[in-house]
Amino acid sequence: MSKKHTVFYRGNQQVSVDFSAEPISSDASVILLERMEKTHGLIGHFSQSIPDPRQPEKVIHSVGKLIKQRVFGLMHGYPDGNDAEHLAEDPLYRDILGGRLASQPTASRLENRMDRATIWNLCRAWVGRYIDTLEGRTELTIDIDDTDDPIHGGQQLSMFNGFYGRKVYNQLFFHDGQTGQIILPVLRPGNAHSSRWYVGILRRIVELIRTRYPDLSITIRADSGFSCPAFYRLAEACELKFVVGIAANERLKRRSERAERAIRRVYSRRGQSHQHFFSFRYQADSWEAPQRCCCKVEETGRGLNTRFIITNIPGQSARRLYKDLYVQRGEASENRIKEVKNMCYADRLSAHRFWANFFRLLLSCLAYELFLRLRQAIGRTCHSEAKRWQIATIRCRLLKIGGTIKRTKRRIYYRLSKAFAWKKLFLQLIS
């Protein structure tokens, strides 16, 4: 019999606590995640690209089971392999995974088996899976952006980056600007400039897409770090549309001086913020041909804000190209990267080997993709508040549910808490 511990008194009542309740999980939504995996098969598809050199008769935890444990753990807020210790007695996780959970050393051995060839195969499988979802599309916007991952250990290829002023890894993302899907994540050494490798990777992605869908219209969006001669040559060769930022230089500043003076006068007379857009032809010395450059000049009372973008999209005004197309990458790409990095733990690349950390990045992106499918399913329901949830909110409000499991000879019952506030939404999603 469990010993009761008195915590405090409430009037004449003694308030006690013990551990006599039946095994309860705080992650009962794992059954919803399993249902989603059975529907979409993301983890199964990903697992097939990972070779398993172990002796089959000695294998207890398959590659698919190991990845499922890690990805479901990331979705529930357990970022590291050693979190398996906290989930070892979870009755619902044990049921979904078909027995006891893999230990941290087992999970780490999987990560450290990764090499260049395996990561290459995983990246090809990732892009191939994405291309399968393009059926019926007539246009595609590819957003390209990168982010830093501060490093606090001696990880391979983690290096000092002068722009960020610290030791980092560099993470490069190719996003679908319409759906938020990750077309491909890439881990790069810490000293990588934004433009390093990306043109070659983009060329391979475009070639694979055009092999399946030769008539698909592709538009590229990126900030000024990705503006380089190699990109413009690729855009010309592959007939890509683009809207790409470009850093200000002396020649560009001279072209905007007149507009800046006019905007200052307008602000001084009216005392209200004002924007002005115009375009002109511009060619850097390293470019093979001139391009259309659009300029935005804005005065808000805190100083002038002048921005330049390069584009080859005809028939649209500079204002529309900037406001309706270019700046939308903030929501379509930058905010999605924040979710992957901060809410799916892509910043927890603490393995020593570079390829193991690349694999960890892919696992975090796999968790993000499942969250994206879940958010799309929420969007098809009538719950307007839930449609605005970010990943962290989905985890807190929808995935954290108390529950138990009951087995009979013919059935398995997942018994969830009566106090759960989002019962109707959960039942809509799981049914």
Side-chain angles (χ1 to χ4, degrees), residues 4-280:
K4 291 183 172 57
H5 300 268
T6 301
V7 183
F8 53 81
Y9 286 85
R10 184 180 294 144
N12 295 327
Q13 290 181 311
Q14 176 182 334
V15 180
S16 303
V17 64
D18 65 11
F19 290 93
S20 60
E22 59 183 306
I24 301 174
S25 172
S26 62
D27 301 306
S29 63
V30 69
I31 186 65
L32 173 61
L33 304 186
E34 177 69 0
R35 173 63 185 269
M36 290 182 57
E37 167 56 21
K38 288 183 178 296
T39 300
H40 300 287
L42 294 178
I43 295 174
H45 176 79
F46 191 76
S47 304
Q48 292 173 5
S49 299
I50 301 176
D52 192 349
R54 298 175 295 176
Q55 300 178 37
E57 66 275 8
K58 296 182 179 179
V59 172
I60 299 175
H61 307 287
S62 67
V63 171
K65 176 182 174 181
L66 291 171
I67 294 178
K68 183 182 290 187
Q69 178 180 320
R70 287 285 282 118
V71 171
F72 285 3
L74 287 166
M75 296 183 74
H76 276 124
Y78 305 104
D80 295 314
N82 56 14
D83 290 314
E85 299 175 8
H86 308 296
L87 294 170
E89 301 302 323
D90 189 298
L92 275 61
Y93 258 90
R94 289 172 72 101
D95 177 71
I96 291 296
L97 296 174
R100 64 185 179 88
L101 277 64
S103 64
Q104 176 270 322
T106 302
S108 294
R109 281 192 292 270
L110 173 65
E111 294 174 357
N112 286 297
R113 283 209 309 269
M114 297 299 120
D115 56 19
R116 182 177 181 177
T118 303
I119 295 297
W120 174 265
N121 290 334
L122 288 172
C123 289
R124 283 189 65 90
W126 190 289
V127 175
R129 179 78 181 192
Y130 166 75
I131 293 174
D132 290 340
T133 68
L134 294 176
E135 184 71 34
R137 298 267 296 270
T138 59
E139 58 182 27
L140 165 65
T141 299
I142 299 178
D143 286 315
I144 308 172
D145 208 346
D146 63 348
T147 185
D148 68 307
D149 175 25
I151 297 300
H152 306 288
Q155 290 94 318
Q156 288 180 345
L157 297 182
S158 61
M159 299 180 184
F160 182 83
N161 188 298
F163 180 80
Y164 297 108
R166 55 194 174 193
K167 198 175 181 183
V168 300
Y169 272 138
N170 184 277
Q171 299 175 1
L172 174 66
F173 290 91
F174 297 82
H175 272 96
D176 184 320
Q178 280 96 354
T179 66
Q181 292 170 269
I182 297 176
I183 302 173
L184 183 66
V186 179
L187 185 65
R188 300 186 292 185
N191 63 349
H193 184 270
S194 294
S195 61
R196 185 176 183 182
W197 301 348
Y198 98 93
V199 174
I201 297 171
L202 179 61
R203 182 189 300 276
R204 292 182 176 90
I205 291 173
V206 170
E207 288 172 351
L208 289 170
I209 293 174
R210 287 277 169 78
T211 300
R212 290 273 300 275
Y213 307 104
D215 298 325
L216 186 66
S217 174
I218 301 177
T219 301
I220 309 298
R221 287 191 302 204
D223 65 19
S224 59
F226 298 91
S227 176
C228 62
F231 168 73
Y232 298 116
R233 289 194 295 269
L234 174 66
E236 179 70 22
C238 296
E239 299 181 352
L240 303 175
K241 300 176 183 178
F242 59 83
V243 180
V244 179
I246 183 172
N249 56 46
E250 291 304 317
R251 288 171 58 189
L252 291 174
K253 289 177 181 177
R254 286 196 296 270
R255 295 297 296 265
S256 65
E257 283 179 353
R258 182 178 177 183
E260 289 175 351
R261 289 195 297 269
I263 292 298
R264 285 196 185 97
R265 288 196 296 270
V266 170
Y267 182 82
S268 63
R269 288 198 305 267
R270 301 179 182 176
Q272 297 177 347
S273 61
H274 186 73
Q275 291 180 338
H276 178 65
F277 296 85
F278 64 98
S279 63
F280 53 90

Side-chain angles (χ1 to χ4, degrees), residues 247-384:
N249 56 46
E250 291 304 317
R251 288 171 58 189
L252 291 174
K253 289 177 181 177
R254 286 196 296 270
R255 295 297 296 265
S256 65
E257 283 179 353
R258 182 178 177 183
E260 289 175 351
R261 289 195 297 269
I263 292 298
R264 285 196 185 97
R265 288 196 296 270
V266 170
Y267 182 82
S268 63
R269 288 198 305 267
R270 301 179 182 176
Q272 297 177 347
S273 61
H274 186 73
Q275 291 180 338
H276 178 65
F277 296 85
F278 64 98
S279 63
F280 53 90
R281 302 294 289 178
Y282 172 75
Q283 181 179 2
D285 293 339
S286 58
W287 298 359
E288 296 180 355
Q291 303 287 349
R292 182 187 180 193
C293 180
C294 299
C295 176
K296 181 204 78 167
V297 182
E298 180 180 20
E299 174 62 78
T300 62
R302 299 179 180 178
L304 279 173
N305 180 16
T306 305
R307 293 287 185 270
F308 301 94
I309 60 173
I310 301 295
T311 183
N312 65 348
I313 300 177
Q316 296 190 31
S317 66
R319 175 184 293 272
R320 184 175 179 184
L321 284 169
Y322 189 88
K323 300 192 72 171
D324 295 346
L325 185 59
Y326 179 72
V327 299
Q328 299 306 315
R329 55 183 291 277
E331 173 63 21
S333 177
E334 293 175 357
N335 287 345
R336 304 290 75 77
I337 290 176
K338 290 175 183 177
E339 289 187 319
V340 178
K341 182 178 176 180
N342 301 325
M343 303 177 195
C344 294
Y345 308 107
D347 59 343
R348 299 294 286 267
L349 307 184
S350 55
H352 173 67
R353 298 181 63 249
F354 176 78
W355 298 115
N357 285 317
F358 202 133
F359 181 66
R360 285 192 172 196
L361 174 62
L362 290 170
L363 291 180
S364 293
C365 293
L366 199 55
Y368 166 84
E369 287 292 312
L370 280 170
F371 269 121
L372 184 63
R373 303 301 192 279
L374 182 55
R375 186 153 52 192
Q376 291 169 347
I378 293 172
R380 294 190 290 270
T381 70
C382 59
H383 298 269
S384 56

